[in-house]
Amino acid sequence: MVSFKILCFLLCFILAPPLSTVDSADKPSKPTTSPSLTSHAQSKTHPGEEYRTYIILLWPPTDPEASAMGMDEAAHCAWYESFLPTKLTDAGEPRLLRSYRFVFNGFAATLTEAELKMVAKKRGFLRSFPDRVRHLCTTYTPEFIGLSKGKGVWSDTNYGKGVIIGVIDSGINDQHPSLDDHDIMPPPMKWKGSCQGNIRCNNKLIGAKTFVAGDDQASDQNGHGTHTATTAAGNFVEYTSLHGLAPGTAAGVAPGAHLAVYKACQDLSCNDQAILHAMDAAIGDGVDVISVSISKRLSNIPYDHDPVAIGAFTAMWHGVLVVASAGNRGPNASSIANDTPWILTVGAGSVDRSFPAQVWLQNGDTVPGESLADRTASTSDEWFPLHYSNDPAQRYCNYPEIEGQFTGKIVVCDASSGQKRQRAIIENLLGDNDAEGVVLIDLEEHGYTTILQDYGPNVIQVPNATAGNLRNYSMSEGTKGMMVFRNETVLQAIPAPVVAHFSSRGPSLRSPGLIKPDILAPGLNILAGTLRADFSEAPAFQFRSGTSMATPHVSGVAALIRSRHPDWSAAAIKSAIMTTTTLERNDGGGYILDHHLKEEASGYARGAGLVNAKMAMDPGLIYDISASDYVSYLCTVFGEAPQQAISRIPSWRCSDLPQTSEAMLNYPSITVPLQPTPFTVVRTLTNVGPPELYAVTVFMPEPVTVTVFPRWLFFNNTGDRAAITLTVSGHTSNGQPFIEGNLMLSSLTHSVRNRIIAVVGLGGTHHEHGA
Ligand SMILES: *[C@@H]1O[C@H](CO)[C@@H](O)[C@H](O)[C@H]1NC(C)=O
Ligand SMILES: *[C@@H]1O[C@H](CO)[C@@H](O)[C@H](O)[C@H]1NC(C)=O
Ligand SMILES: *[C@@H]1O[C@H](CO)[C@@H](O)[C@H](O)[C@H]1NC(C)=O
Ligand SMILES: *[C@@H]1O[C@H](CO)[C@@H](O)[C@H](O)[C@H]1NC(C)=O
Ligand SMILES: *[C@@H]1O[C@H](CO)[C@@H](O)[C@H](O)[C@H]1NC(C)=O
């Protein structure tokens, strides 16, 4: 038995990472919805006989003494292996790739379809799904969300002292100055994590583990993980900037918090099994918040077939809030990912900071744009001939390398899609073709969302909408232009925030009765840590854009709340963040706009609004949701089997639980059908502030009528709970698909906003979803 245990231990925890050839077989370019094949697939050739990686979910052991959490790792391994036909595949490689303990009972293994059928017949088997590949969402922000050094929230929460943020991403550059641990205390006693391999940990970076196959180092190869981790909890670093732009002190949102890094991604692709294993480890290690800047391409698989939704449920059950990115597949409707109700889903918006640069035309017009170009290396104050070709073959400037073709000219180009291609085109123009400068007109569908790239000197990026007659003017012979690089970073740029075009939009296909995303955070042109560590050589900070960058902002805010309110549930922290947002844009002209600056963004784009760290610390009232509430919701909407697959708590039977429709889940947003028949929803509020009297008001456009009862609520004590009932009826005018409004609870010192959205064609009480 002893030797078997040792063998099993080796299998799971020493051999496991290098032997999963699965991850390396998944190139990002591959269609990612297809399950991954292992590299030794050739040893089985008939259909249905190929090896694949499957994640197998099991019921908890029936023996009460071997309760899921009580079994040690070796016992888990032995139990999991008892499901497999053999320990090794035909090619002699171990089948068991991952062993999960905290997220759920289950494992990842190499099996053929026929073998899987045999596994499925064994007692204890619950469900299986093929491993899928997910993607990192890449494409002065603390101040923008209400934080400033030496005062307010930061000093009240000691900058997030004592809280641990688990970041599941591409690893970490442990040399980065943002990970310095000055003024950071040792981790709390509950911390059980550790640092693997050569990663240098300290009181800031307290844990680093890798779950990527064939990689025993949690070090970051592409910079994404370092960027997100330093955004969430980077320590203060003086005098950061890129080419003198955005100068100042860099800091994460919770600069006093600890970071634990779980590497689950390589080359921007991340396998389900690696993410799950990372979540498993993070929960077991004792993190307070999990930040996941990873999203899946297709989000319409049911929750009970989505291992990350299941893993996040377990995190919630342990009081850990999972904050995850909405995805970068906007602005199409229903492009949202990570949309389960127990996840805080984050969309991306712009920041009120810009890096202006202009093209002056000799006819007197000015074309405003932005540029990350090094101001000291860029020319200006000189007129140069302009060149633009409307020829479809040339408007993207994909010119052959002809020495000196554009010497002394400013070349105007339409942006091509594909970042690598774009960079190569510009390098060619400024290199062999010897252009003086390049003006890049962004894709029309990007609106005003200019994702700035560091293309080098003399490159200006211009949104299509402000390009004006630049195209036409530059096409004519003899026209001249001048590139003007302002040597400044503009703050309080207006309007901000604006929802980024790429930020994935709702409604969720899996939960149409919940408004997703939940929240908007800065995700456009965000400066944070990169792979460089040495200031003298090259910038240690880099601009990146994506909902990946928005997510750690919110994770940091969640850490600050956790530091201030250690006893709050994950749902309470989420409610505090969602009911205290900023909905107005900074030019005083109204609500947050969509990327074309033409319309106000809907709740399906901007969520509850821009996260406001200051207000979220003291929300007054919260909409709490217990684990059993979520289970009732799962029962009512999805049924017994999916409920049990997700909750993994066999003692919970749907028949013992009350009905909780999607509309009745005590969510900090309200979705109702838009219909003439009155529809009633109830929300329960918990007072987390002092005794106070609240007025209850509803703001809803005309064709919709909402009555609310009671109109006043007096909370006599902290911790008091009280319910309000809303009855909604109405009809659409001019074919709008939905109508939005707000439910406000206002006291002398607090203002608690909840969104109401009335949707045409939304079923009455609940929706059936395919199993
Ligand atoms: C968005 O929708 C359009 C039109 O339906 C489609 O052509 C396009 O591929 C979609 N974009 C993404 C990112 O899915
Ligand atoms: C921009 O400002 C910096 C510092 O203020 C200065 O060193 C640099 O020469 C300026 N560059 C230009 C192009 O004016
Ligand atoms: C993009 O530019 C073209 C040419 O200037 C213009 O006709 C079109 O309206 C622009 N699109 C948007 C959305 O501004
Ligand atoms: C294009 O530019 C030419 C020359 O500058 C000008 O005469 C013409 O009116 C412009 N056309 C448009 C549509 O702006
Ligand atoms: C506060 O006390 C008053 C008077 O006893 C009572 O009517 C009210 O329901 C209490 N409020 C709550 C929220 O319990």
Side-chain angles (χ1 to χ4, degrees), residues 571-768:
I573 294 176
K574 179 171 167 176
S575 172
I577 291 172
M578 287 175 64
T579 61
T580 55
T581 53
T582 306
L583 258 190
E584 291 76 24
R585 58 182 195 258
N586 66 349
D587 61 2
Y591 285 172
I592 295 169
L593 293 174
D594 224 331
H595 58 293
H596 284 300
L597 303 189
K598 287 196 179 123
E599 291 171 1
E600 284 179 356
S602 83
Y604 291 127
R606 56 145 163 87
L610 180 71
V611 62
N612 184 324
K614 184 165 182 279
M615 303 307 283
M617 291 306 124
D618 180 22
L621 304 174
I622 52 169
Y623 296 85
D624 207 356
I625 307 178
S626 68
S628 80
D629 295 336
Y630 283 122
V631 174
S632 297
Y633 151 83
L634 289 171
C635 282
T636 309
V637 180
F638 302 96
E640 181 88 84
Q643 177 274 116
Q644 296 217 352
I646 296 164
S647 78
R648 310 285 301 113
I649 303 166
S651 59
W652 270 340
R653 294 271 152 206
C654 289
S655 52
D656 303 335
L657 291 162
Q659 290 270 306
T660 303
S661 65
E662 246 173 348
M664 288 294 279
L665 187 68
N666 201 37
Y667 209 76
S669 67
I670 297 169
T671 309
V672 292
L674 182 53
Q675 58 186 35
T677 328
F679 185 89
T680 299
V681 285
V682 178
R683 284 292 183 273
T684 304
L685 291 136
T686 307
N687 184 27
V688 292
E692 266 189 309
L693 176 66
Y694 280 86
V696 186
T697 38
V698 171
F699 301 89
M700 202 77 188
E702 253 304 293
V704 183
T705 313
V706 184
T707 58
V708 59
F709 177 83
R711 307 293 301 272
W712 299 91
L713 279 177
F714 191 77
F715 291 92
N716 305 291
N717 295 294
T718 303
D720 276 359
R721 290 159 68 87
I724 51 175
T725 303
L726 294 98
T727 305
V728 186
S729 60
H731 58 88
T732 47
S733 56
N734 56 47
Q736 282 169 279
F738 56 85
I739 293 177
E740 294 184 272
N742 290 301
L743 163 68
M744 297 292 305
L745 285 100
S746 320
S747 72
L748 282 179
T749 56
H750 293 97
S751 171
V752 186
R753 186 181 47 236
N754 199 342
R755 295 171 289 160
I756 306 175
I757 199 161
V759 185
V760 177
L762 190 69
T765 47
H766 61 87
H767 317 273
E768 295 303 335

Side-chain angles (χ1 to χ4, degrees), residues 68-69 71-81 99-101 105:
M69 295 295 173
M71 267 207 273
D72 67 9
E73 286 162 355
H76 264 94
C77 275
W79 179 37
Y80 295 156
E81 281 183 343
S99 143
Y100 305 115
R101 263 203 324 150
N105 295 297

Side-chain angles (χ1 to χ4, degrees), residues 374 549 718:
D374 186 344
M549 283 64 241
T718 303

Side-chain angles (χ1 to χ4, degrees), residues 363-550:
N363 67 0
D365 281 357
T366 301
V367 182
E370 284 190 274
S371 176
L372 288 187
D374 186 344
R375 274 29 179 184
T376 55
S378 296
T379 47
S380 62
D381 299 339
E382 219 182 311
W383 295 104
F384 293 104
L386 290 161
H387 172 87
Y388 174 72
S389 171
N390 201 22
D391 180 346
Q394 304 201 318
R395 51 189 287 222
Y396 303 105
C397 299
N398 202 4
Y399 293 104
E401 290 174 32
I402 299 174
E403 192 80 29
Q405 188 183 7
F406 294 117
T407 303
K409 287 187 176 173
I410 296 173
V411 184
V412 177
C413 312
D414 284 325
S416 22
S417 43
Q419 206 25 246
K420 267 196 182 141
R421 190 170 129 83
Q422 187 65 70
R423 189 169 290 277
I425 287 171
I426 290 178
E427 276 168 9
N428 182 38
L429 285 173
L430 293 173
D432 281 349
N433 288 336
D434 196 30
E436 185 60 35
V438 176
V439 181
L440 188 63
I441 302 173
D442 202 359
L443 298 175
E444 178 168 356
E445 63 260 34
H446 289 185
Y448 285 82
T449 305
T450 306
I451 299 173
L452 294 175
Q453 300 286 343
D454 189 5
Y455 288 122
N458 292 326
V459 180
I460 295 180
Q461 294 176 246
V462 175
N464 177 75
T466 62
N469 69 359
L470 172 68
R471 280 196 186 91
N472 176 41
Y473 182 74
S474 314
M475 246 184 310
S476 311
E477 284 296 319
T479 54
K480 286 187 173 178
M482 185 191 290
M483 304 184 99
V484 179
F485 292 89
R486 282 210 234 148
N487 195 12
E488 60 182 345
T489 300
V490 171
L491 298 179
Q492 279 104 45
I494 57 170
V498 171
V499 179
H501 78 87
F502 55 77
S503 186
S504 287
R505 309 304 205 258
S508 159
L509 295 174
R510 303 189 288 185
S511 300
L514 293 169
I515 317 175
K516 289 280 183 174
D518 293 310
I519 192 89
L520 192 72
L524 182 65
N525 303 324
I526 304 301
L527 190 65
T530 178
L531 296 183
R532 310 264 189 190
D534 185 354
F535 280 110
S536 55
E537 303 254 311
F541 293 83
Q542 184 187 29
F543 286 98
R544 283 183 184 245
S545 298
T547 54
S548 279
M549 283 64 241

Side-chain angles (χ1 to χ4, degrees), residues 117-407:
K117 286 200 178 117
M118 297 307 291
V119 172
K121 290 199 179 107
K122 300 208 176 209
R123 209 165 144 247
F125 173 88
L126 173 60
R127 170 150 297 165
S128 71
F129 23 83
D131 194 19
R132 295 181 185 84
V133 182
R134 289 161 196 255
H135 289 260
L136 289 172
C137 318
T138 299
T139 38
Y140 120 103
T141 46
E143 281 94 339
F144 187 58
I145 59 168
L147 299 165
S148 50
K149 200 174 179 181
K151 53 182 187 192
V153 178
W154 266 352
S155 56
D156 291 353
T157 62
N158 264 317
Y159 305 95
K161 183 179 158 190
V163 177
I164 304 162
I165 303 177
V167 178
I168 299 179
D169 213 296
S170 66
I172 192 81
N173 165 18
D174 62 350
Q175 302 296 311
H176 198 274
S178 292
L179 300 174
D180 193 285
D181 68 352
H182 61 263
D183 295 338
I184 314 275
M185 303 288 284
M189 294 296 287
K190 66 166 185 174
W191 175 242
K192 296 196 216 48
S194 61
C195 270
Q196 270 180 352
N198 295 336
I199 295 289
R200 184 195 61 172
C201 278
N202 57 17
N203 288 338
K204 163 58 72 182
L205 180 63
I206 59 171
K209 290 179 179 168
T210 178
F211 301 92
V212 171
D215 183 357
D216 56 2
Q217 297 294 337
S219 53
D220 189 3
Q221 305 303 323
N222 64 45
H224 191 277
T226 305
H227 204 279
T228 55
T230 56
T231 299
N235 210 336
F236 291 98
V237 180
E238 305 290 336
Y239 311 119
T240 60
S241 77
L242 179 76
H243 307 329
L245 294 169
T249 302
V253 172
H258 305 288
L259 276 170
V261 165
Y262 300 87
K263 179 173 178 177
C265 308
Q266 205 171 34
D267 301 332
L268 300 186
S269 79
C270 330
N271 282 78
D272 275 356
Q273 52 158 334
I275 298 168
L276 275 172
H277 206 170
M279 285 177 106
D280 177 42
I283 297 166
D285 287 350
V287 305
D288 296 293
V289 175
I290 295 179
S291 192
V292 190
S293 289
I294 300 167
S295 74
K296 204 160 34 65
R297 226 157 254 265
L298 288 170
S299 258
N300 50 6
I301 49 166
Y303 292 151
D304 57 316
H305 289 255
D306 177 350
V308 172
I310 297 168
F313 190 96
T314 307
M316 177 279 297
W317 174 244
H318 284 79
V320 177
L321 179 62
V322 176
V323 182
S325 48
N328 297 335
R329 282 170 289 281
N332 285 15
S334 296
S335 48
I336 190 102
N338 294 319
D339 51 355
T340 49
W342 47 89
I343 289 176
L344 180 52
T345 314
V346 187
S350 67
V351 185
D352 66 343
R353 176 181 63 187
S354 76
F355 310 99
Q358 300 170 344
V359 190
W360 291 5
L361 306 182
Q362 229 172 17
N363 67 0
D365 281 357
T366 301
V367 182
E370 284 190 274
S371 176
L372 288 187
D374 186 344
R375 274 29 179 184
T376 55
S378 296
T379 47
S380 62
D381 299 339
E382 219 182 311
W383 295 104
F384 293 104
L386 290 161
H387 172 87
Y388 174 72
S389 171
N390 201 22
D391 180 346
Q394 304 201 318
R395 51 189 287 222
Y396 303 105
C397 299
N398 202 4
Y399 293 104
E401 290 174 32
I402 299 174
E403 192 80 29
Q405 188 183 7
F406 294 117
T407 303

